[in-house]
Amino acid sequence: MLVCPGSEAKSQHQAVHDTLDVVSGKWKLIILAVLLVRPYRFKELSRELGVSPRILSKELQEMEGHHLVTRTVCNTRPVSVEYACTAHSRTLLPVVQAMADWGYLHYEAVVGSKRPDDPTPRRHTDRD
Amino acid sequence: MLVCPGSEAKSQHQAVHDTLDVVSGKWKLIILAVLLVRPYRFKELSRELGVSPRILSKELQEMEGHHLVTRTVCNTRPVSVEYACTAHSRTLLPVVQAMADWGYLHYEAVVGSKRPDDPTPRRHTDRD
DNA sequence: CTGTATCCCGTAAGATACTG
DNA sequence: CAGTATCTTACGGGATACAG
């Protein structure tokens, strides 16, 4: 039941709001989910997520500013840049994990028929 | 380390994306966080969150459409409406809880000096 | 390859006033 | 009190082309 660790000074919804402040937008949490698996290069991320370079660049810059990713330039021939999650962004793992779990288990039941590549037959045992 | 429950068919970032689909926007998760504590009436919610009735109405309608809240009209004198979370929205508790926890513990460290009403002295033991 | 610069658009979000 | 109508604005997000 939504407890807060030994403090009433900040309301729960304020805390959620704060977190939302950092991971707002359509992409930050998704980028984080990917980078939590392994580091990626710029284009790799762009391809994997299907996001245009402009957006990706902007998101990564904001996340770097919040110390959620590191940006490492590698001395390769055409120059490649590797992005990786930080110790701090790993503290967001519970959030990402919870979201991934929920997406796996409950998305179809709430939204209804999903994308064609996942024809789950509405196993809907729990009630509303 | 970001595991998925017995399936590789859907990538983690796809699952996160799906969840984001349902709880997108600035308010849904916050509304949920509040309603997970106890039911609220419309105006109560509006006051508590500081959100205009138009936005609140829209959000609540979408959430009702996704079966994340119930809307109950009470037979009181001026008519009051109570909103409450559903069994299904309670499956999102881990997400909300994770976000609330993170907000409590890590927001200041990432963003820097916070709002004046919470002058936490930067307990910053972990490294970047 | 890694980005940035423009341009563009849809919509999220807010203010205000009004109706049932 | 509960909500809707209208209007407006800002920003998120995308395509494309281009620069380092």
Side-chain angles (χ1 to χ4, degrees):
Chain A
M1 163 51 99
L2 207 54
V3 290
C4 51
S7 165
E8 303 287 349
K10 195 195 291 182
S11 52
Q12 292 96 342
H13 77 259
Q14 180 63 58
V16 174
H17 183 276
D18 287 350
T19 304
L20 249 18
D21 232 38
V22 175
V23 294
S24 62
K26 219 162 113 178
W27 294 111
K28 293 202 184 63
L29 277 175
I30 299 183
I31 291 172
L32 207 49
V34 170
L35 291 185
L36 281 169
V37 176
R38 65 170 176 87
Y40 276 73
R41 287 181 301 106
F42 187 84
K43 179 100 183 205
E44 235 181 338
L45 268 176
S46 180
R47 275 203 334 125
E48 175 80 18
L49 304 181
V51 59
S52 67
R54 198 189 91 85
I55 303 299
L56 184 57
S57 175
K58 183 168 60 84
E59 299 288 309
L60 287 172
Q61 277 177 25
E62 293 178 23
M63 293 173 75
E64 196 188 354
H66 285 167
H67 306 101
L68 297 180
V69 298
T70 59
R71 178 180 179 276
T72 309
V73 181
C74 307
N75 278 348
T76 51
R77 328 22 101 67
V79 169
S80 62
V81 180
E82 196 175 75
Y83 289 91
C85 59
T86 64
H88 240 114
S89 64
R90 269 184 279 273
T91 65
L92 275 167
L93 177 60
V95 173
V96 175
Q97 185 69 60
M99 281 214 172
D101 289 350
W102 196 90
Y104 280 120
L105 299 176
H106 297 285
Y107 179 77
E108 298 85 355
V110 167
V111 174
S113 57
K114 259 195 56 59
R115 48 188 71 250
D117 66 282
D118 189 52
T120 306
R122 306 287 261 87
R123 187 84 69 80
H124 191 197
T125 19
D126 39 33
R127 35 148 269 123
D128 278 338
Chain B
M1 164 50 100
L2 207 54
V3 289
C4 51
S7 166
E8 303 289 348
K10 195 196 291 183
S11 52
Q12 292 98 340
H13 76 258
Q14 179 63 59
V16 174
H17 184 275
D18 287 350
T19 304
L20 250 18
D21 232 38
V22 174
V23 295
S24 62
K26 219 162 112 179
W27 294 111
K28 293 202 184 62
L29 276 175
I30 298 183
I31 291 173
L32 206 49
V34 170
L35 291 185
L36 280 170
V37 176
R38 66 169 175 87
Y40 275 73
R41 286 179 303 105
F42 187 83
K43 179 100 184 206
E44 235 182 338
L45 268 177
S46 180
R47 276 204 331 125
E48 175 80 18
L49 304 182
V51 58
S52 67
R54 197 190 93 84
I55 303 300
L56 184 57
S57 176
K58 183 168 62 84
E59 299 288 309
L60 286 172
Q61 277 178 25
E62 293 177 23
M63 293 173 77
E64 196 188 354
H66 285 167
H67 307 100
L68 297 181
V69 298
T70 58
R71 179 180 179 276
T72 309
V73 180
C74 306
N75 278 347
T76 51
R77 323 29 92 65
V79 169
S80 61
V81 179
E82 195 174 74
Y83 289 91
C85 59
T86 64
H88 240 113
S89 64
R90 270 183 278 272
T91 64
L92 276 167
L93 177 60
V95 173
V96 175
Q97 185 69 61
M99 282 213 171
D101 289 348
W102 196 89
Y104 279 119
L105 299 176
H106 296 286
Y107 180 77
E108 298 87 354
V110 168
V111 174
S113 57
K114 259 195 55 59
R115 50 189 71 250
D117 67 281
D118 189 55
T120 306
R122 307 285 262 89
R123 186 84 71 79
H124 191 197
T125 20
D126 39 34
R127 34 148 272 121
D128 279 338

